[in-house]
Amino acid sequence: MRWNLRLHAAQQGIWKSTELRRRLLEAGLEISAGKMSALWTGTPTTIRLDDLDVICTVLDCTPADLLICEPEKVAARKPAAEAPASRAASGETAADRTAAVTPRPGRRRSAPPA
């Protein structure tokens, strides 16, 4: 994910983090100067949904405007698929792979209410 707060704020005519912080306070969200600086200059590792809701209201946007998906980064994190020849060399069989995903008895989930 890429955090797009600063660019979106600029599109709304907000050029300084102090201005956004003031507007957030007027909307009922008090953010410390340190947290505001972190939101303004970097990508947060976490953000409360209530805070995101206020930010989106102040900037007249949606979370999708602020959180940009980067599927190519997800693909890059995937482990490379193991070649079938190397599985055969290790002695792994199709039954071994199936056994790894067979559910255990007594762990069934109940059906959702109708």
Side-chain angles (χ1 to χ4, degrees):
M1 286 279 168
R2 183 169 41 96
W3 182 238
N4 201 29
L5 175 74
R6 198 169 181 171
L7 179 61
H8 199 73
Q11 291 171 346
Q12 300 298 316
I14 301 171
W15 299 99
K16 295 181 178 182
S17 65
T18 54
E19 173 64 17
L20 179 57
R21 185 174 174 220
R22 184 188 61 77
R23 290 189 190 190
L24 292 172
L25 183 59
E26 289 172 357
L29 177 60
E30 185 174 357
I31 293 183
S32 69
K35 184 175 178 182
M36 188 70 237
S37 176
L39 288 173
W40 190 257
T41 60
T43 299
T45 54
T46 61
I47 187 163
R48 292 184 49 208
L49 294 178
D50 292 343
D51 294 353
L52 184 60
D53 197 25
V54 175
I55 292 168
C56 287
T57 299
V58 167
L59 295 178
D60 191 28
C61 65
T62 67
D65 295 324
L66 299 177
L67 298 167
I68 308 301
C69 291
E70 297 178 304
E72 65 281 357
K73 286 188 177 180
V74 174
R77 290 179 60 169
K78 270 186 178 177
E82 190 176 333
S86 64
R87 280 195 216 128
S90 71
E92 181 184 30
T93 66
D96 293 333
R97 289 188 299 277
T98 303
V101 295
T102 303
R104 293 187 286 185
R107 295 221 169 201
R108 288 188 283 159
R109 295 181 179 167
S110 60

